[in-house]
Amino acid sequence: MEPVVKIDQEKCTACYACVRSCPVKAIKVEPDRPAPMIIPDRCIGCGNCHAACGEDAIIIRDGKTDLRKLLKQGEEVTALLDPSIAGEFPDITDYRKFVSMVRKLGFRFVNEVAFGVELVAAEYRKLVDDSKGKYYLFSNCPISVMYVEKYKPELTRNLAPIMPPVVATARVVRQKYGNDMRVAYISPLIASKQEAVRLAEDEKIDAVLTFIELRELFSEYKIDEKNLEYSEFDNPIGYLGSLFPLSSGILEAAGIEQRVLSSKVITVEGDLVFDSIREFEEDITTIKSHFNIFYKEFIMGRGTSPNARKWLRRSQLIRYLNKREKTFDQEAHDKALLEYSGIGLTRSFRNDDQRMEAPPAEEVEKIQAELRKHGDQERGCGACGYRSCHEFAVAIAQGLAVPEMCNFYASRNTMDHIQSLKISNEKLAQAQVALKESEQIAQKEKESAREASEITRTMLQKLPSAVVILDETLKVIQANESLIGLLGEEAMEINEVVPGLTGADLKTLLPYNIHNLFTYVLANNENITDRDILLNEKQYSISVFVIRKQKIVGAVIRDLSAPEVQKEEIVKRLTDVVDKNLSLVQQIGFILGEGASETERMLNSIIESYKPKK
Ligand code: SF4
Ligand code: SF4
């Protein structure tokens, strides 16, 4: 089932006003998730968060939908009207018009919860008169009851075992109209929705509408008192039970003594309720009083229109009661009380302990130290929603809060953040300048490289020797004109379409024994120098060399029949002969003396004569 209260994560602006307003810390804030979340099991339905949120981000479960569903199914539904209604609708001139308006919504019967109050009040009277030395916390306020069940479960045995007035009224209605009768409670409290969830069978409340929702329905269905006749509440009607919305109203209805000197009951309302429950727990043997507790007086419940004036509402309530008095039939009323006195009004409570384990002291101290960072003193300002920095640190350790909820911590972190942003910005500016300079240098280098590449390419083309550069798949990266000429007609035709034979497969251009040399060099990263090859019946010398290991190879192929190559080759080969003979000559020099030097001179002169003329 949908929780009664939840947060619209889209609308929430993470201001934490709701967290601060929650009296039982049922709203948690998780790291890395700015919007808080309500923990349904911890919530007591007080509605403070709803009132505190300026963004309309707290969603209360919609009772109108439940009611519409009931009416649509053709169910007979009785409206149970809380007596606080008299303070909520001063704009409706006569309560009988108001009853007509409610009927107009589709309700079969309209009954007063004030009658249930009177049945319950009689039980309280008996309890107070004969408590046998035991003291009770009155259980009419669902918020206070849920608080005890969840946060003071040991005290559930001190909750008065008397059912709430609305449940008593639901039983009356079902006794009168049968168990199939559906009931909808029109309540001043959001907590009534939470309370209704746990009721079943003849206690069941099928729908709960707040007064605010009732107004919305009137407006939606355009129901206006001007167009309606008077109508009375259905029997049994109430009288003094109508005072129930005031915190001491139940005592008045029960006729319980209220004089300070002699009363056995203390009435507490508002935030003081939680402190009073603690005092009850600790000091009841000295206090010796029952506690009539209301966290929220019904007349000002969170389900009523906001921004209302309490004393104005109170006066409206009293005026309403006085008006009812004029037509009040005491005899019929007493008869009805007698008739329904046997419906059974006892109730039980559950232990729904939601207290959390205290975290280890060292962990809390560590968190407090972090909150006090940079020598700050603990402020205990309460802006986080906790009464002290210690309580706040405990909540952080329990996973209910995050340090950022502390204004001082957050602002200090923001300042640190701004400072580090400033430093980062400066570094960024320096980096930008350096980057710009690098870009300029890179641009210049790129231009130089392009020029160098252009020059190299041109030089390559002009070389008399054939040159080819290949990738690792033996595809041509670049080939010069000499190579193309050497390969013949077919290569020249390709060159016209693809200049430099770029992308051509060497295997289709050269026979196996030659392109195999390239494969060898690529695989072994070992150069081959001056290897003689026969191509197109001509003698060539080929050198294959590594340009980039296993990626790029190059080759120079020289035509040995070209005159300049012939000369060069003879010089080279004679040089080799000289080098090879030199050691031999040196060895036999000892034997031949001057003869060896003469031989070297002769060979050198032959070499010189073959060298190209400068
Ligand atoms: S009050 Fe709560 S729900 Fe509303 S905007 Fe602030 S943090 Fe969000
Ligand atoms: S309804 Fe009350 S108890 Fe529940 S989350 Fe809101 S403030 Fe907390």
Side-chain angles (χ1 to χ4, degrees), residues 23 137 144 147 152 155 268-283 287 291 293 295 387 391:
L137 294 163
S144 307
Y147 174 77
K152 293 281 179 194
L155 289 182
V268 191
E269 60 145 317
D271 294 339
L272 290 176
V273 160
F274 302 138
D275 285 339
S276 72
I277 291 172
R278 203 182 63 244
E279 283 195 44
F280 182 96
E281 184 180 31
E282 292 170 6
D283 303 323
I287 296 172
F291 279 40
I293 47 175
Y295 180 68
R387 282 183 295 188
E391 263 191 36

Side-chain angles (χ1 to χ4, degrees), residues 7 12-22 25 27-37 49 52-55 58 382-386 392 400-407 410:
I7 294 177
C12 175
T13 55
C15 69
Y16 304 139
C18 55
V19 180
R20 287 189 282 276
S21 73
C22 180
K25 303 307 160 211
I27 307 177
K28 69 172 175 179
V29 181
E30 291 179 336
D32 306 325
R33 184 195 175 104
M37 280 170 47
C49 53
C53 180
E55 303 297 330
I58 304 282
C384 56
Y386 291 84
F392 178 49
L400 293 173
V402 292
E404 289 72 18
M405 289 161 67
C406 167
N407 284 347

Side-chain angles (χ1 to χ4, degrees), residues 5 18 21-27 38-39 42-50 58 60 190 194:
V5 191
C18 55
S21 73
C22 180
V24 289
K25 303 307 160 211
I27 307 177
I38 292 174
I39 307 167
R42 288 180 62 82
C43 174
I44 56 173
C46 69
N48 285 3
C49 53
H50 186 247
I58 304 282
I60 307 295
I190 289 168
Q194 206 135 329

